[in-house]
Amino acid sequence: MSIPRREGLIYWHYATKWTSDISMQAMSLQINLGNAGALILEEQSASIVIVSAVGIAVLLILILARVQRTEARLSLVALVLITVPILALCIPASWYVVRSMLIPTKAAEIELADLEATLGLEFYLHWSSDSGRYLVVRNSAGVVRQHLSAFDWTHWPRTSVYLINDGRVAVLGPTYDDYIVDPKRRTIETLWNGTPSDTWTYFGAFDFRNEKLVFIPASEQRECTATRGVTEPSAARPEGRSDRCDQEALKY
């Protein structure tokens, strides 16, 4: 289940993912930048950034408010002049960190022409408990991003896409990280085990090709979603699951 706390430019995103009898919860601060993407900070990082910014601002206000003498003010200015070059040296490293949160390292998108929407997959460098994997649904009304729970997209990128007769889309990820997408309503919900899937139509899969994330249509490769050695008998589309997915072996 995915519940955006607030629609618009900046909002908290709260998601719950259930696997068997275990629930995993994650909260992130997402700053929507439109077509440019979104700045995504997971809960711990967002808390550190917000608290640090507020603390520094309050400290500077208190210092300037209490400094009365000219000599003390000059000392404060000298301290600032010394600090600025040091901070300047940190800018490249800081930009690298910010860029990794703002711009996905790998990204691909496929048009769902009949549904008047696009479905995308974004991989970000992750810094803590965030998997760095996001599913993106876009239509004329807006964009919604869903954090996916499957880790290690570097080695397990393959994410399969299926069309459902009612206009929705099923997205199956590694280790049963599965979702149901409604492109028209822009909703992304957990796909529960036991969901009937025998009438689904395999559409294709996101996977790496020549070190780039691309969408490989069903006409080029057979369906395969990696389980990474985990067995879940009641999972949807069991015929399309395998421990590993070898692209060469999947070619017709």
Side-chain angles (χ1 to χ4, degrees), residues 128-185:
S128 57
S129 59
D130 193 325
S131 69
R133 192 187 302 246
Y134 284 82
L135 189 65
V136 184
V137 180
R138 190 190 312 269
N139 63 16
S140 58
V143 182
V144 64
R145 282 176 171 81
Q146 167 70 46
H147 170 253
L148 308 182
S149 63
F151 278 86
D152 194 7
W153 55 257
T154 303
H155 300 98
W156 305 91
R158 194 173 182 90
T159 304
S160 302
V161 179
Y162 296 83
L163 302 181
I164 305 177
N165 295 334
D166 59 6
R168 295 181 299 166
V169 177
V171 178
L172 309 186
T175 325
Y176 309 100
D177 189 21
D178 305 335
Y179 300 85
I180 286 288
V181 177
D182 189 330
K184 293 185 178 180
R185 295 172 52 224

Side-chain angles (χ1 to χ4, degrees), residues 158 207 220-224 242 244-252:
R158 194 173 182 90
D207 206 341
E220 295 185 17
Q221 294 180 9
R222 294 186 296 274
E223 62 180 303
C224 182
S242 180
R244 303 184 67 90
C245 298
D246 184 349
Q247 290 197 44
E248 289 298 321
L250 294 174
K251 291 181 179 179
Y252 292 103

Side-chain angles (χ1 to χ4, degrees), residues 84-156:
V84 168
I86 297 176
L87 293 177
L89 296 176
C90 299
I91 288 178
S94 300
W95 166 242
Y96 176 79
V97 174
V98 173
R99 184 178 183 276
S100 69
M101 294 185 294
L102 178 62
I103 303 175
T105 303
K106 308 285 185 180
E109 190 174 58
I110 183 65
E111 182 179 2
L112 304 173
D114 294 339
L115 303 177
E116 299 180 347
T118 62
L119 181 69
L121 188 64
E122 297 177 345
F123 292 159
Y124 292 81
L125 292 178
H126 50 89
W127 299 96
S128 57
S129 59
D130 193 325
S131 69
R133 192 187 302 246
Y134 284 82
L135 189 65
V136 184
V137 180
R138 190 190 312 269
N139 63 16
S140 58
V143 182
V144 64
R145 282 176 171 81
Q146 167 70 46
H147 170 253
L148 308 182
S149 63
F151 278 86
D152 194 7
W153 55 257
T154 303
H155 300 98
W156 305 91

Side-chain angles (χ1 to χ4, degrees), residues 2-243:
S2 174
I3 305 176
R5 291 301 190 192
R6 177 186 172 190
E7 297 284 349
L9 179 62
I10 302 176
Y11 57 91
W12 285 98
H13 185 272
Y14 180 80
T16 302
K17 171 66 178 178
W18 292 83
T19 303
S20 298
D21 296 326
I22 302 174
S23 66
M24 294 172 287
Q25 298 180 339
M27 180 179 289
S28 62
L29 175 64
Q30 300 188 8
I31 303 177
N32 190 0
L33 301 178
N35 293 331
L39 176 59
I40 301 172
L41 296 174
E42 52 101 17
E43 184 175 8
Q44 182 179 2
S45 299
S47 300
I48 293 174
V49 170
I50 294 172
V51 172
S52 298
V54 172
I56 292 173
V58 171
L59 181 61
L60 289 176
I61 291 173
L62 291 176
I63 291 175
L64 292 176
R66 293 180 64 86
V67 173
Q68 302 294 332
R69 295 175 299 172
T70 302
E71 295 83 357
R73 287 182 179 272
L74 290 176
S75 298
L76 182 59
V77 171
L79 179 60
V80 171
L81 293 177
I82 294 173
T83 305
V84 168
I86 297 176
L87 293 177
L89 296 176
C90 299
I91 288 178
S94 300
W95 166 242
Y96 176 79
V97 174
V98 173
R99 184 178 183 276
S100 69
M101 294 185 294
L102 178 62
I103 303 175
T105 303
K106 308 285 185 180
E109 190 174 58
I110 183 65
E111 182 179 2
L112 304 173
D114 294 339
L115 303 177
E116 299 180 347
T118 62
L119 181 69
L121 188 64
E122 297 177 345
F123 292 159
Y124 292 81
L125 292 178
H126 50 89
W127 299 96
S128 57
S129 59
D130 193 325
S131 69
R133 192 187 302 246
Y134 284 82
L135 189 65
V136 184
V137 180
R138 190 190 312 269
N139 63 16
S140 58
V143 182
V144 64
R145 282 176 171 81
Q146 167 70 46
H147 170 253
L148 308 182
S149 63
F151 278 86
D152 194 7
W153 55 257
T154 303
H155 300 98
W156 305 91
R158 194 173 182 90
T159 304
S160 302
V161 179
Y162 296 83
L163 302 181
I164 305 177
N165 295 334
D166 59 6
R168 295 181 299 166
V169 177
V171 178
L172 309 186
T175 325
Y176 309 100
D177 189 21
D178 305 335
Y179 300 85
I180 286 288
V181 177
D182 189 330
K184 293 185 178 180
R185 295 172 52 224
R186 288 181 296 122
T187 60
I188 304 174
E189 301 175 346
T190 298
L191 173 65
W192 298 101
N193 288 339
T195 300
S197 58
D198 55 314
T199 60
W200 293 358
T201 301
Y202 178 57
F203 190 57
F206 293 99
D207 206 341
F208 285 152
R209 176 179 286 175
N210 298 325
E211 299 183 354
K212 293 183 179 180
L213 183 64
V214 299
F215 184 81
I216 304 173
S219 59
E220 295 185 17
Q221 294 180 9
R222 294 186 296 274
E223 62 180 303
C224 182
T225 306
T227 63
R228 297 198 281 195
V230 178
T231 301
E232 187 63 66
S234 60
R237 206 66 179 189
E239 65 272 23
R241 310 268 188 176
S242 180
D243 286 350

